[in-house]
Amino acid sequence: MITQSNYTELKNAQLAIENLHATKPSIYKKFINIVKLTRQLHCGYQYMGTVIMDENTSDFYPKSQDDYVMSIYHREIEKLKTDEKFSELKQVLKKYKQVSYVNISKLALGENPKELVGPILIH
């Protein structure tokens, strides 16, 4: 799947993430931990987003992960989803889904929106 984001969309998503950090730091920290775990396990940010948002994951499921590792990964995401402030994070992810979960994750990790402008291949 190819998606394209413009600077304004990315900047707005970045501001929403920063606002989440400022107003709901506990759910922001849990989200960042999931993003970092996703990066460490090479699961793919788009897969992470589809799991968090209860969407169809079949197009993005990591092909080379052990079942046990994936069960732990899913358990950690379920902990995130049971947080009382999860709805705040879910609103941000839903509102900015068009910029992709990949770009949202990169913005959350501190990447500059200018670096993310343009088309990306999501797999």
Side-chain angles (χ1 to χ4, degrees):
M1 174 170 91
I2 296 177
T3 187
Q4 183 163 327
S5 300
N6 68 44
Y7 179 75
T8 302
E9 293 171 329
L10 290 162
K11 188 64 180 168
N12 289 339
Q14 181 187 41
L15 292 173
I17 292 165
E18 289 172 357
N19 184 55
L20 186 68
H21 184 206
T23 60
K24 308 288 188 267
S26 64
I27 194 67
Y28 171 82
K29 180 66 174 163
K30 288 179 182 179
F31 175 61
I32 289 297
N33 287 342
I34 293 296
V35 170
K36 289 177 179 177
L37 181 61
T38 301
R39 181 179 58 193
Q40 289 294 317
L41 295 176
H42 304 285
C43 289
Y45 297 129
Q46 198 67 19
Y47 176 72
M48 174 204 72
T50 59
V51 172
I52 290 172
M53 297 299 286
D54 296 318
E55 298 170 354
N56 183 351
T57 62
S58 61
D59 290 342
F60 308 108
Y61 193 85
K63 292 170 183 32
S64 62
Q65 284 297 346
D66 178 78
D67 288 341
Y68 176 70
V69 171
M70 291 308 292
S71 71
I72 293 170
Y73 179 71
H74 283 266
R75 195 173 327 141
E76 291 302 309
I77 289 177
E78 285 306 313
K79 287 180 190 176
L80 171 76
K81 291 166 72 173
T82 60
D83 187 285
E84 63 185 32
K85 304 226 187 302
F86 175 68
S87 64
E88 310 283 337
L89 171 63
K90 194 169 184 175
Q91 286 176 346
V92 171
L93 294 174
K94 184 177 182 180
K95 184 173 183 177
Y96 295 101
K97 180 181 177 178
Q98 78 279 1
V99 301
S100 81
Y101 299 130
V102 174
N103 283 339
I104 291 170
S105 299
K106 289 179 178 182
L107 290 168
L109 290 171
E111 286 200 35
N112 186 328
K114 290 179 183 177
E115 302 295 321
L116 302 175
V117 173
I120 61 168
L121 177 62
I122 299 173
H123 47 86

